[in-house]
Structure formats: structure tokens, C-alpha cells
Amino acid sequence: MLNRSIDRQQAVLDAIDTLRQAVGSAREGLPEDIFLFVSSLTPLINVDLLIRDERGRTLLTWRDDRYCGPGWHIPGGIIRFKESSADRIAAVAAHELGAAVSFDPHPLCRHEMLVPKRDVRGHFISLLHACRLETPPDPGRRFDPAAPRAGDWAWHARCPDDLIPVQRVYRGYIDDDPALRGGPVIQVSGGNAEDH
């Protein structure tokens, strides 16, 4: 029995070594298969960027992937290893919008999002930050309803009906309705794989 335990421990150490060699620097992000494996072991922490203009509209981006399907979402991204939330906010603005933003370092709220029936990408802790555009979003990424592309942006005067389900917790912020916000508390969402 002891030999089997030692063999198993060595197999785990060998597997970890193989993964470290495959990953390289986690500060640059993870290969997708390793990222999905990690997401099955631990919650992921992400920042979401609430960007509003002088007319009270909210800037959203179009998403269409196997986890959320098609719909609008607040631009956001998962914080990398040893990356500050400030650096991730800047990276999200540059990557998703082709823009620069300033932001309030204190999140408006945090939400714990659980998807009980999914084993990968099933647990997030999301920090919503109020952001301001310092440069305009890339006009080449403006949303065209006749040809929707993942990653394109559009301003919204109200929360769209096709906001991805897991981000419905942000409806009060998008509609600028304090009664729907619930304050800076942890909320749990989820129920089935389609929720996130």
C-alpha cells in the first residue's frame, strides 16, 4: 500500500512538472486546455468594466461562445497570475475595445457566480468597476446588427433583453436603477450550464 501511495505521489509530481513546462509564464495567460482544467479546481477572479457616456448609455460588447452563447455583456476579463486588477482593466479595454480607460479602484460591487452543473468555468468572483473612456473605442469594432461579430461594441440606453444570463446581476447598473443593484454584496447565480 505504501508503494502505491509513493507511486501516486510521484505521478502527481511528474504531471505538475509537465504542466509547468507546457504553460511557461502564467503571467501571459494559460493555454486554453490548462485554463479549463484550472477552472475546474478553483474559482476564477475577473474584472468587469462598467463604461457609461454623458448620455447615460452603457458600452457593451457582443459575445458568442460555447459557454454563454450569443448575447451582450459588460467587457471583462480574468485576472492573470500576479497581475493587478488595474493592469487587467487596462488590458480588457485595449483588447476588447481598442481604447484606454480610467477607473475607480474601488469596485462598485462584487458577485460570486456559480454554475452548479458545469465542471469547467463554473465559479467566478466578479468585480465591477466604474470606468471612463480616455480614448474612443475602435470604430472598426462597432457592432453591425446585420453581421454580428464576437467582440464588437455598441452603446445601450437600457439593458438589452439578450444580455448573457450570468450578467443579469448587472441590470441595475446598466439601467442606472439603484433599486435593482443590491449593493456591494456577494450574490450567487446559476442553476444550469446555460447560465454562464
Side-chain angles (χ1 to χ4, degrees):
M1 192 65 146
L2 181 60
N3 284 344
R4 195 176 313 162
S5 176
I6 291 171
D7 290 345
R8 181 179 174 154
Q9 182 180 7
Q10 187 58 51
V12 168
L13 293 173
D14 291 345
I16 290 170
D17 187 52
T18 299
L19 288 172
R20 285 193 185 178
Q21 290 177 38
V23 167
S25 173
R27 294 177 189 204
E28 305 302 318
L30 299 173
E32 184 176 6
D33 52 350
I34 294 177
F35 166 74
L36 293 174
F37 173 66
V38 169
S39 81
S40 72
L41 301 175
T42 188
L44 302 171
I45 301 170
N46 67 284
V47 294
D48 289 322
L49 286 59
L50 181 67
I51 303 169
R52 297 179 61 87
D53 69 5
E54 64 285 345
R55 294 168 50 192
R57 299 178 302 171
T58 303
L59 189 61
L60 302 176
T61 53
W62 185 254
R63 184 170 181 166
D64 191 356
D65 62 35
R66 65 181 171 161
Y67 296 103
C68 297
W72 292 102
H73 77 110
I74 290 177
I78 296 164
I79 298 172
R80 274 47 170 180
F81 180 66
K82 293 200 176 182
E83 177 182 53
S84 69
S85 55
D87 287 344
R88 179 57 15 203
I89 289 168
V92 166
H95 176 73
E96 292 196 26
L97 303 168
V101 297
S102 57
F103 64 95
D104 184 339
H106 302 287
L108 293 167
C109 64
R110 70 179 185 273
H111 293 280
E112 185 171 9
M113 300 175 182
L114 301 171
V115 186
K117 294 183 180 179
R118 195 164 68 214
D119 293 333
V120 297
R121 294 181 59 97
H123 189 178
F124 291 84
I125 298 170
S126 298
L127 308 172
L128 180 66
H129 286 268
C131 298
R132 292 158 302 285
L133 286 174
E134 296 296 326
T135 62
D138 179 354
R141 298 181 192 180
R142 185 184 307 269
F143 182 76
D144 177 358
R149 298 179 304 182
D152 284 355
W153 59 265
W155 290 104
H156 293 262
R158 303 283 304 156
C159 187
D161 291 336
D162 53 356
L163 186 72
I164 61 172
V166 75
Q167 288 207 338
R168 290 180 187 152
V169 296
Y170 294 146
R171 182 174 297 280
Y173 290 94
I174 296 169
D175 285 342
D176 198 21
D177 184 348
L180 296 176
R181 291 185 186 165
V185 298
I186 294 176
Q187 296 184 10
V188 178
S189 303
N192 60 49
E194 290 73 41
D195 285 342
H196 193 287

